[in-house]
Amino acid sequence: MRLLHTSDWHLGRAFHRVNLLGAQAEFIAHLVTTVRERAVDAVLVSGDVYDRAVPPLAAVELFDAALHRLADLGVPTVMISGNHDSARRLGVGAGLIGRAGIHLRTEPSAAGTPVVLSDAHGDVAFYGLPYLEPALVKDEFGVEKAGHEAVLAAAMDRVRADLAGRAPGTRSVVLAHAFVTGGEPSDSERDITVGGVAAVPAGVFDGVDYVALGHLHGCQTLTDRVRYSGSPLPYSFSEAAHRKSMWLVDLAADGSVTAERVDCPVPRPLARIRGALEDLLADPALARHEEAWVEATLTDPVRPADPMARLAERFPHTLSLVFDPDRSGDDPEVSYARRLAGRSDQQIAEDFVAHVRGAGPDAHEQGVLRDAFDAVRSDEAVREVAR
């Protein structure tokens, strides 16, 4: 069975105020063409269909058009909700849409109930694990402590239990939206860290033939059977080095997997350039970036006059301007942002405690801080679901 694995469409998202809806429509057209020309048997969309819980009307219309085009091909699609989606909104009409071969999986309670498709070699069971916000689903899965690993492990227990009751030789595919150990994040994914644990181990998914992951925006292979497709378009300059693609996965009769990357159309390349303004304007080596979307980091010790206007004369698609003067590490004017770069909310709070009272928090106080951050994240998730 040939599968096309994609995720993180983020319909409705802009790139530094540039409307991407046209580029997203071009991606949908490319996906449909790929399905038709490469004889795809099923399409997998592993969450973050939309960029926010209440998407703009134009994004909803594009999604509707995508569903119609996929249904017209007669190729089944299995789709889950991600942490950017409103699961309740995305799941409206799922039963009716399912009759057209578009299978939306947004309910955690259905984790162990697969979509079953067949080919010449037998059944393939597709299990959809939508984004599982631990604070909201811990009771559903009967876990005592809210954490991503605990709820995903409980969901996978249901998957394995259902699979064990099926005919021998039934192949299995899991769609999940999570941060799995070994994956490389970028700046454009919303943090889903809960309980102080940033990622869950890939071993949580043991026992199935293929795991189609969403959430991280870079295409990645964690194991031959566990992969991220990544986002089809770049959504931050941290993705400048990404090759945007989908996975074309062949699931053999014995459950073995082979996979090929299918490139996605990208409206413009991304470029991150750094240096003094005059050097950036004069450097001939930067000519290749003149038609790219550009993030320029200026290292001038004194902020130059009209930097954006001057950059735009050579790089007309400059979208982001950052000032990072070259100074010694002990210079008191080193930016606050640079000092905080790469540090988690928990670490920043602990540093603040140490700065104020001269000693960092003890183990109990660290737990209080962690619980406070988790409570804020959980409250945000609850309010987003209720919108």
Side-chain angles (χ1 to χ4, degrees):
M1 184 173 287
R2 174 163 284 184
L3 315 174
L4 186 64
H5 167 200
T6 179
S7 72
D8 295 272
W9 294 358
H10 289 277
L11 300 181
R13 186 163 184 160
F15 184 76
H16 290 268
R17 300 177 303 281
V18 174
N19 189 321
L20 291 179
L21 206 62
Q24 291 172 333
E26 186 177 350
F27 159 70
I28 296 296
H30 170 69
L31 181 147
V32 170
T33 299
T34 301
V35 171
R36 184 176 58 249
E37 294 183 350
R38 301 299 299 271
V40 170
D41 298 304
V43 176
L44 314 179
V45 186
S46 298
D48 281 354
V49 174
Y50 292 120
D51 189 56
R52 55 182 186 265
V54 184
L57 178 59
V60 178
E61 290 173 339
L62 178 56
F63 178 60
D64 180 65
L67 295 188
H68 277 85
R69 296 180 71 176
L70 289 169
D72 287 345
L73 290 174
V75 176
T77 297
V78 184
M79 184 177 295
I80 63 173
S81 51
N83 59 301
H84 280 244
D85 299 309
S86 166
R88 292 171 64 185
R89 283 185 171 83
L90 187 63
V92 169
L96 184 61
I97 295 171
R99 297 180 187 178
I102 308 294
H103 304 281
L104 295 172
R105 289 296 183 263
T106 63
E107 292 292 336
S109 59
T113 304
V115 175
V116 180
L117 305 177
S118 300
D119 64 8
H121 305 291
D123 289 345
V124 181
F126 293 82
Y127 298 89
L129 309 187
Y131 170 65
L132 301 175
E133 173 56 54
L136 302 182
V137 303
K138 65 184 182 68
D139 293 337
E140 165 66 33
F141 290 107
V143 299
E144 294 182 2
K145 185 176 181 181
H148 277 122
E149 183 174 353
V151 296
L152 270 173
M156 282 302 301
D157 285 344
R158 293 188 184 183
V159 168
R160 285 185 282 265
D162 179 84
L163 193 57
R166 296 190 173 273
T170 299
R171 289 158 290 165
S172 53
V173 175
V174 166
L175 290 77
H177 196 85
F179 186 0
V180 179
T181 302
E184 290 293 330
S186 62
D187 292 343
S188 53
E189 299 109 3
R190 180 184 302 166
D191 180 25
I192 57 174
T193 301
V194 172
V197 178
V200 299
V204 164
F205 299 104
D206 285 350
V208 297
D209 294 311
Y210 184 70
V211 181
L213 292 175
H215 178 55
L216 299 186
H217 289 183
C219 182
Q220 300 171 60
T221 300
L222 304 187
T223 73
D224 285 344
R225 298 183 182 274
V226 182
R227 299 172 187 261
Y228 282 101
S229 66
S231 61
L233 293 171
Y235 293 118
S236 74
F237 277 102
S238 65
E239 301 172 46
H242 287 187
R243 173 187 164 196
K244 295 303 182 181
S245 58
M246 304 176 284
W247 284 114
L248 192 66
V249 178
D250 286 319
L251 185 62
D254 63 356
S256 59
V257 169
T258 56
E260 171 193 346
R261 290 179 72 174
V262 177
D263 289 332
C264 295
V266 176
R268 287 186 187 278
L270 305 188
R272 301 178 106 172
I273 60 177
R274 179 186 178 90
L277 177 59
E278 295 300 334
D279 294 339
L280 297 181
L281 295 177
D283 188 350
L286 299 181
R288 66 186 189 277
H289 299 315
E290 290 177 356
E291 294 304 316
W293 279 327
V294 169
E295 178 184 74
T297 299
L298 300 185
T299 60
D300 303 75
V302 177
R303 185 173 302 209
D306 299 323
M308 181 62 92
R310 296 174 65 191
L311 279 166
E313 291 178 1
R314 183 180 188 190
F315 307 103
H317 305 287
T318 301
L319 300 181
S320 176
L321 186 59
V322 179
F323 292 97
D324 188 17
D326 283 335
R327 296 189 176 116
S328 63
D330 57 359
D331 189 316
E333 293 189 21
V334 170
S335 73
Y336 184 63
R338 185 192 288 186
R339 297 201 302 272
L340 298 184
R343 301 187 68 74
S344 68
D345 292 342
Q346 178 84 15
Q347 292 170 321
I348 292 169
E350 292 177 7
D351 289 348
F352 176 75
V353 172
H355 173 74
V356 169
R357 74 179 187 193
D362 59 26
H364 171 71
E365 291 168 332
Q366 288 174 341
V368 171
L369 287 170
R370 187 176 303 113
D371 290 344
F373 283 120
D374 288 350
V376 170
R377 294 188 187 99
S378 298
D379 181 64
E380 289 176 346
V382 170
R383 285 190 284 108
E384 183 163 288
V385 168
R387 289 175 63 187

